[in-house]
Amino acid sequence: MFETLAKGFRAAKQRLSGVAELSDDVIDEALRDVRMSLLEADVEFRVTKRFLERVREAARGEQIQLKAKSKEYGVKTITPEQAFIKVCQDELVQMMGPVDTNLKWAKNRPTGVMVVGLQGSGKTTTAGKLARLLEERDGKRPLLVAADIYRPAAVDQLKTLGERLGMPVFHVPDESPVAICAQAEAHALAEGCDVIIYDTAGRLSIDEALMQELEDIDREARPANIYLVLDAMTGQDAVTTADTFNKRLDLDGVILTKLDGDARGGAALSVKEVTGKPIKFLGMGEGLDKLEEFRPEGLASRILGMGDIVGLVQDFEKVVDAEKAEEDAMRMLKGKFDMQDFLDQIRMIQKMGSLKDLFDKLPFFPGGLPDGVNLDDKELTRIEAMISSMTKQERTNPNVFVKTSWEEIATQSGKKSKRRRADFEPGRVKRIANGSGRTENEVKELLSKFAAMRQMMVQLGASTGLMGKIPGLKQFSQMKRLAGMDLGALMGGGGAMPGGMPAGAMPGGMPAGMPGMQLPGMPPGYTPPGTPGGGPGKAKPATKGKKRDKRKAAKAARKRTRKRK
């Protein structure tokens, strides 16, 4: 989504790497890369110019202190590269924020929310998403008002959304949009609703008839909030549209939609700067739960390649019960990890969104994902199909699949071993392959990677010991264990993401057992940045330790030979 924006800041970081001080020439060269990426991402030209001027002034001369002092860590030196990125982050947050996603609540009457925008921007779907959010977050009971009488099936679409959400929908046939909205408050009081969401009509472009009708609805219905829905894929036109609507309606905020597609994201940086109205929410998918509260600091961190752990934890907490996640994690670390647990983890990740968006929020890839990595959400669906084709006994007792031990299978997984391949029950493998529409080799590969995951869980559980009972030390020990493990062997050369993220390794208690997500093209033995030998595009050879051991053994043999002589 924000790759076009991010590449300019990555280029600026690389240009500043190794620089001793932030001179004017160095700053100008770094800002040249940033300028190009902002313009390519459809950030409005005047917004780009003002942003670069603020960054240049903040980064110049005496305003940058390359030493930071704290009570905990003492005096630490900051590199010019880090100082420049910090300035960029502060300016990005200031340009997009501050944001308060709470509504203005009306007194002694239902709170009105008027949703406006052009046709095709996603107003009707956004109205449903907003109703669901207000019900879950604020405990409200919304009434949806179908006031778009011009677009074919617009009323039917809103009624369908209302049925899915279990919420009432108000519409009066053969009445004008203004009359429908004027009568909605009395109906809301009769239904016991305390929020009214008006889904208004749009046009292919802004015209006087549209704006006059919206002004009449505003005057008659007196909504406390007016939100403009903008299609992020329209680029700079989105900013022009927001400016025009704001001059006529005095907007309270903006909702950006279709940010899960190939939108360049420039509108997210431009809207607040041009209109003075904040972005309130982001539409990140077609599902009714895909409406996120806008966090400028999280978006700025993702643009600068630092991930968004807070946003990731919020996504996690929406789909997982923290106590259950902790119980599952402890059970997995004791080796009680079966296919049903594996399936539950896959479904949990699917609820959190796409793999690409999930990995964008992780801080492990500041330079972007390695070349050739393709995060395919369909791979999770394929794994789910294979596990769903298993019987209940096979899911809860995976031992029925193997003629040998799981430990032997885990040892062979991902390695070019001269020993015989893992011996699975051929009848069960064939039945699951036929039932899921996959090949027998794919089923065997899934079982092999499951074995490797289960072995890693046992090793993580055994590594904590008595000290691991102390909060914090357990996670530290587990992360050290992960850093030293041969991830290449678990990936099997095919790029399966190992499933062993320990409980509590991330804020919010991300559970153990992130499932094996297929990453075609991931280099064998790839080590993420932040782990020993890790870095963008670096691969840690899986045979390095074996070669070292062979050299030591040969050296010891030569010494023994010399002693005998």
Side-chain angles (χ1 to χ4, degrees), residues 308-469:
D308 181 14
I309 291 295
V310 175
L312 183 62
V313 170
Q314 289 178 350
D315 293 342
F316 168 71
E317 289 176 342
K318 290 177 183 177
V319 300
V320 174
D321 179 70
E323 292 184 4
K324 183 179 183 300
E326 187 67 23
E327 291 175 2
D328 291 344
M330 294 304 298
R331 184 163 47 83
M332 291 176 190
L333 290 175
K334 293 177 181 178
K336 299 177 181 178
F337 180 54
D338 56 34
M339 286 291 182
Q340 186 60 49
D341 296 316
F342 198 9
L343 183 61
D344 292 341
Q345 297 295 302
I346 290 175
R347 289 172 175 169
M348 182 271 289
I349 288 179
Q350 288 174 326
K351 290 179 183 178
M352 291 178 66
S354 68
L355 293 179
K356 181 66 170 67
D357 186 53
L358 194 65
F359 271 71
D360 282 343
K361 293 181 180 180
L362 292 171
F364 305 141
F365 304 99
L369 288 172
D371 294 336
V373 173
N374 179 26
L375 294 171
D376 188 4
D377 290 286
K378 294 181 180 178
E379 185 62 29
L380 295 182
T381 306
R382 298 185 190 106
I383 295 174
E384 183 180 10
M386 286 186 278
I387 299 177
S388 297
S389 297
M390 299 176 185
T391 64
K392 184 177 180 180
Q393 180 194 17
E394 290 168 343
R395 291 191 208 176
T396 56
N397 182 23
N399 293 328
V400 299
F401 281 107
V402 296
K403 295 181 179 179
T404 58
S405 66
W406 280 108
E407 288 73 17
E408 182 177 349
I409 295 174
T411 303
Q412 296 181 33
S413 176
K415 296 183 179 181
K416 296 180 179 179
S417 176
K418 294 182 179 180
R419 294 180 294 173
R420 62 185 179 85
R421 295 182 59 84
D423 196 1
F424 296 108
E425 289 285 351
R428 295 181 186 273
V429 170
K430 184 176 181 180
R431 174 176 50 78
I432 292 169
N434 292 336
S436 60
R438 314 310 305 169
T439 65
E440 292 184 29
N441 285 336
E442 286 177 302
V443 177
K444 291 178 181 179
E445 184 182 5
L446 171 64
L447 293 172
S448 298
K449 289 175 179 175
F450 169 79
M453 288 175 57
R454 194 150 105 161
Q455 185 185 42
M456 185 172 67
M457 293 295 174
V458 175
Q459 291 176 349
L460 286 172
S463 68
T464 58
L466 182 62
M467 293 298 289
K469 302 298 181 183

Side-chain angles (χ1 to χ4, degrees), residues 16 18 43 52 66 70 84 88 93 97 152 170 226 232 262 321 344 412 431 446 498-500 516 522 535 545:
L16 291 171
V43 179
L52 294 175
L66 297 183
S70 67
F84 180 80
C88 291
V93 172
F170 177 70
I226 303 178
D262 57 356
D321 179 70
D344 292 341
Q412 296 181 33
R431 174 176 50 78
L446 171 64
M522 178 73 82

Side-chain angles (χ1 to χ4, degrees), residues 234-255:
T234 57
Q236 294 192 29
D237 286 342
V239 181
T240 305
T241 301
D243 193 34
T244 304
F245 270 90
N246 184 54
K247 290 177 181 177
R248 297 291 294 266
L249 291 172
D250 189 20
L251 302 173
D252 293 289
V254 175
I255 301 176

Side-chain angles (χ1 to χ4, degrees), residues 99-103 137 227 279-281 292-294:
V99 175
D100 182 7
T101 57
N102 292 317
L103 275 68
R137 188 189 69 177
Y227 288 160
I279 298 173
K280 294 278 191 175
F281 302 98
E292 297 183 1
E293 297 181 358
F294 181 58

